Amino acid sequence: QEELFDHIRLQKERQEEREARQEAREEDEPETVWIGEREQVRGLDPNAVGTHVAVTAYTPPRGDQDVRVPEWVTETGYTGELDTRSKVGDAQGETRIGVLEVATGEVVWLGLKPEPDGEGSSGGAGADREDVAGGEDGAESGTGAEDQGRRTAEPELFGATFIGWNDAGTHGLIHATAYDYKTRWLWAVEAATGDLTLLDEWRDEAWVGGPCFADFGTGCNGWIPGSDRAYYVSEASGWAHLYAVDADGSDKRQLTSGEWEVRDVAVPEDGSGFHLHTSRTSPFDTHFYTMDFDGGDLTRITTGDGEFAATPSPDGRRLALVVSRANRPPELHTAPFGPSPVTDQVTVSPTATWLSFPWVVPEIVRFEAEDGARVPARIYRPADLGAEPNGAAVIFVHGAGYLQNVSHGWSGYFREYMFHHFLAALGYTVLDIDYRGSAGYGRDWRTAVYRWMGGADLSDQVDGAEYLVAEEGVDPDRVGIYGGSYGGFITLMALFTAGDTFKAGAALRSVTDWAHYNHWYTSRILNQPQDDAEAYERSSPIYFAESFGPDQHLLMLHGMVDTNVHFSDIVRLAQRLIELGKEDWELAVFPVEGHGFVAPAAWTDEYRRIFELMDRTIGAGITVEPPAGRTVPAPQR
């Protein structure tokens, strides 16, 4: 056909030209890198000189099952469904990290599991998938009831995060966590070879955590500018402190020390040293500091009571400060960069009406717990609002577990802060406790709830009630308790397991059975339910509902579209109470609300119900009129 027709000859020539151009283009392009079946690229991090790229790949779990949460009120009138999460102990995904050489397109996948002796480095090329991440088999490294936290096998890797490259692009920094959350590794990887050096291995018989790992984030790690030296925060000493180490694992030093926390660390653009926020002056204040890279010249910049979050200007001459105090929400300030600066307030967030009320700075007290610990709490006394005590008290339990609510700064629970004024103005004494498991007080405080939520954390509430009776003149038969999420869980445990200490409780969006909560939060504290059934049973209120007393009163409140603590959790407890023939309990549902309410009407309804519960039970009909000319603050809408 080529001999007969010019058209065919021209067509062939054009095809050959196209193929030649394609081959020329492909010679200048990196080769395609093929990853595993179902695997997803989650991160591409090139170094500054463009020679290597860190590749983070993730494989979703097989066999996991997400809970579907109904949407009850919809536009169509038909019930919808939301896919949310699986439950603790379900299959988890796998992460691996590789180093791609841009010039060749070759990837060295890193074997991030340490050698059995925990020493030295392990090479990266051709690592088996089993060496990179532990899937369902990783459960073998969890601890069961029989070993109570003692590690019985080498930990399996659960997740890894690439932190970043040093300025020269020669070394990368990788943070990795064990499947059971009891081990954290910090690795340096050499770009040219993929060789790994173990910089730090931190093991905790409970779980690795602290302020830089609040949500298993990997903050507070990085490279010191212009060097091969890494910095990181570890709680290995019992308190969160800053360390530094060379990329070859040598010259490891602890740069800060003491019974206080480094809460975050950063390096400014000018590379002049560390910028830290710490609790060095008091666990109830967060201040901004500067420090040399070698740990010298730690200088406090901000002063006064409160929470100070500082951001320097790029030229290092000025600061932007977000400042809050116990009776004032966060506001933006500016100031010259230097110790004890005079600040200019830029914003005024509250309304004039809100500012017109004399919001109090609640006193911070410490009471002695059963085990001798000094437990911090905020107290709201009727006298603070010019009222006479009515003899009753309400204890508030903050949520999240690992969270600090007792401080000289503004509380994230601002509605509760105002509600406590409302209660105090009517004669109730209110106590807000940073119980065991709360943030801000070091490793031992944080992990005191390991394998038993509803143990030391609940004991602190009981000791708080005894403190109110002994020191504040509260009637021991007129103590109530309330809280949301983790606070709702503690409220249920208080009414079910603390005898007759609490006469009334309001449990909001409560966990009732920890085996139905999520994996990342629950498994670190209670291990996995298939490995440690004892920890789950003694920590879950649903197993103790039969102890709910005839003289106690329980109000449960829950959003029906809660994608965090599912509505089914409270429904299961309600069915248990029905089958047990229990009385003096009620369930209020909110058809369109999730875990954190949105509609003002829902917040108002919720707190009205809580107040009415306290008023008709522990209030005992004793109400105190506010002083003449003084208005009781209504919960803010």
Side-chain angles (χ1 to χ4, degrees):
Q1 301 303 306
E2 289 180 46
E3 293 176 2
L4 290 172
F5 301 107
D6 289 340
H7 170 72
I8 298 298
R9 289 194 295 274
L10 289 172
Q11 198 174 42
K12 182 179 180 181
E13 290 171 4
R14 290 174 184 141
Q15 177 63 24
E16 290 172 348
E17 290 175 2
R18 283 194 296 270
E19 291 174 355
R21 287 195 300 271
Q22 179 66 21
E23 289 176 4
R25 282 197 301 269
E26 289 177 353
E27 288 178 359
D28 294 331
E29 292 179 356
E31 296 182 11
T32 298
V33 177
W34 298 99
I35 57 177
E37 182 183 4
R38 300 176 61 248
E39 200 168 28
Q40 307 162 3
V41 174
R42 285 287 180 90
L44 295 171
D45 296 279
N47 63 7
V49 293
T51 58
H52 294 84
V53 178
V55 180
T56 303
Y58 171 76
T59 302
R62 290 185 183 273
D64 64 322
Q65 180 178 345
D66 286 347
V67 175
R68 294 182 176 180
V69 172
E71 279 190 290
W72 303 95
V73 180
T74 64
E75 183 179 5
T76 64
Y78 290 88
T79 303
E81 283 187 331
L82 299 173
D83 284 334
T84 57
R85 56 163 173 81
S86 60
K87 298 186 180 185
V88 58
D90 211 341
Q92 302 298 305
E94 302 176 356
T95 300
R96 63 172 178 163
I97 294 176
V99 176
L100 181 149
E101 185 179 25
V102 174
T104 64
E106 294 182 359
V107 177
V108 175
W109 292 103
L110 308 177
L112 293 172
K113 184 179 177 182
E115 298 297 329
D117 61 3
E119 300 290 339
S121 62
S122 58
D128 293 334
R129 290 301 301 277
E130 289 73 23
D131 293 333
V132 178
E136 293 180 75
D137 293 339
E140 295 176 2
S141 64
T143 54
E146 68 283 358
D147 59 42
Q148 298 193 19
R150 292 185 292 275
R151 214 167 40 83
T152 59
E154 285 302 313
E156 294 290 335
L157 184 70
F158 174 50
T161 302
F162 185 79
I163 304 299
W165 298 97
N166 65 350
D167 288 345
T170 57
H171 290 86
L173 192 65
I174 296 172
H175 173 279
T177 306
Y179 188 87
D180 60 7
Y181 298 112
K182 300 180 190 304
T183 309
R184 189 283 311 266
W185 301 280
L186 195 68
W187 296 94
V189 56
E190 187 176 358
T193 63
D195 287 343
L196 290 164
T197 300
L198 183 61
L199 303 182
D200 187 76
E201 182 178 38
W202 168 23
R203 298 189 181 188
D204 193 307
E205 64 181 7
W207 75 94
V208 171
C212 290
F213 301 87
D215 293 316
F216 283 96
T218 54
C220 306
N221 305 310
W223 294 99
I224 293 175
S227 76
D228 292 338
R229 191 162 177 78
Y231 67 86
Y232 61 97
V233 168
S234 169
E235 216 184 35
S237 70
W239 295 85
H241 282 295
L242 184 61
Y243 296 75
V245 61
D246 288 344
D248 62 4
S250 64
D251 195 21
K252 178 179 175 180
R253 298 183 187 180
Q254 184 174 342
L255 303 181
T256 62
S257 62
E259 293 188 358
W260 50 275
E261 294 184 329
V262 172
R263 293 180 169 175
D264 66 44
V265 56
V267 175
E269 292 185 29
D270 61 9
S272 56
F274 291 119
H275 286 175
L276 311 172
H277 288 91
T278 86
S279 61
R280 188 167 183 255
T281 61
S282 160
F284 312 122
D285 299 285
T286 300
H287 282 290
F288 177 60
Y289 292 77
T290 60
M291 188 175 74
D292 294 340
F293 288 128
D294 63 2
D297 195 22
L298 178 62
T299 302
R300 177 179 165 187
I301 303 300
T302 53
T303 58
D305 293 343
E307 303 285 332
F308 297 81
T311 303
S313 61
D315 63 7
R317 297 173 60 187
R318 293 187 62 76
L319 287 175
L321 294 163
V322 176
V323 181
S324 78
R325 294 182 170 83
N327 63 346
R328 290 292 182 271
E331 301 288 5
L332 178 63
H333 296 240
T334 61
F337 198 139
S340 303
V342 177
T343 68
D344 294 320
Q345 185 171 334
V346 177
T347 62
V348 177
S349 298
T351 64
T353 301
W354 191 90
L355 288 170
S356 69
F357 186 82
W359 302 102
V360 304
V361 175
E363 181 185 353
I364 295 176
V365 299
R366 284 186 183 266
F367 59 86
E368 186 171 344
E370 183 180 31
D371 61 359
R374 301 291 294 172
V375 182
R378 280 177 160 179
I379 189 166
Y380 300 78
R381 298 182 176 94
D384 296 337
L385 278 297
E388 293 292 329
N390 67 1
V394 175
I395 291 179
F396 169 66
V397 190
H398 70 68
Y402 187 70
L403 177 149
Q404 184 174 8
N405 200 46
V406 177
S407 80
H408 292 134
W410 183 247
S411 170
Y413 291 92
F414 57 89
R415 296 177 184 88
E416 290 76 3
Y417 171 76
M418 294 184 286
F419 184 56
H420 296 162
H421 282 70
F422 179 79
L423 291 173
L426 295 177
Y428 296 85
T429 302
V430 182
L431 198 66
D432 171 2
I433 302 171
D434 268 352
Y435 50 86
R436 240 67 67 91
S438 296
Y441 308 98
R443 180 266 170 197
D444 291 348
W445 199 273
R446 173 180 65 80
T447 61
V449 297
Y450 177 58
R451 296 193 69 245
W452 192 7
M453 293 190 281
D457 46 1
L458 174 58
S459 180
D460 288 344
Q461 316 299 328
V462 174
D463 293 331
E466 293 177 355
Y467 164 81
L468 291 172
V469 171
E471 301 296 329
E472 300 293 330
V474 168
D475 183 341
D477 294 325
R478 296 172 58 206
V479 180
I481 187 169
Y482 87 102
S485 196
Y486 196 99
F489 148 72
I490 287 291
T491 297
L492 293 172
M493 290 294 276
L495 266 65
F496 295 171
T497 70
D500 58 358
T501 301
F502 302 99
K503 184 170 184 179
L508 296 63
R509 39 197 167 273
S510 316
V511 175
T512 71
D513 186 342
W514 284 107
H516 290 254
Y517 198 51
N518 68 35
H519 184 86
W520 71 266
Y521 181 94
T522 318
S523 66
R524 57 182 178 163
I525 304 176
L526 299 181
N527 303 312
Q528 295 194 102
Q530 59 265 42
D531 301 328
D532 199 348
E534 178 188 353
Y536 280 79
E537 289 182 9
R538 70 178 179 178
S539 299
S540 298
I542 198 167
Y543 291 100
F544 302 97
E546 66 273 10
S547 299
F548 177 54
D551 296 326
Q552 293 177 306
H553 304 267
L554 171 62
L555 168 65
M556 301 181 293
L557 309 102
H558 215 105
M560 296 179 72
V561 198
D562 193 333
T563 58
N564 182 15
V565 180
H566 298 143
F567 181 59
S568 58
D569 216 26
I570 205 69
V571 170
R572 294 176 70 247
L573 178 59
Q575 179 62 23
R576 180 82 177 127
L577 293 170
I578 291 168
E579 292 180 1
L580 289 168
K582 296 297 180 179
E583 300 178 3
D584 294 324
W585 67 272
E586 56 185 315
L587 172 62
V589 301
F590 298 82
V592 301
E593 296 295 339
H595 195 63
F597 286 9
V598 175
W603 283 110
T604 302
D605 185 84
E606 180 177 64
Y607 278 88
R608 174 186 59 80
R609 292 175 186 273
I610 297 169
F611 172 69
E612 289 176 351
L613 169 74
M614 301 301 175
D615 187 53
R616 72 174 182 265
T617 56
I618 63 171
I622 303 172
T623 56
V624 178
E625 293 297 327
R630 190 141 185 174
T631 303
V632 176
Q636 188 82 350
R637 296 192 180 206

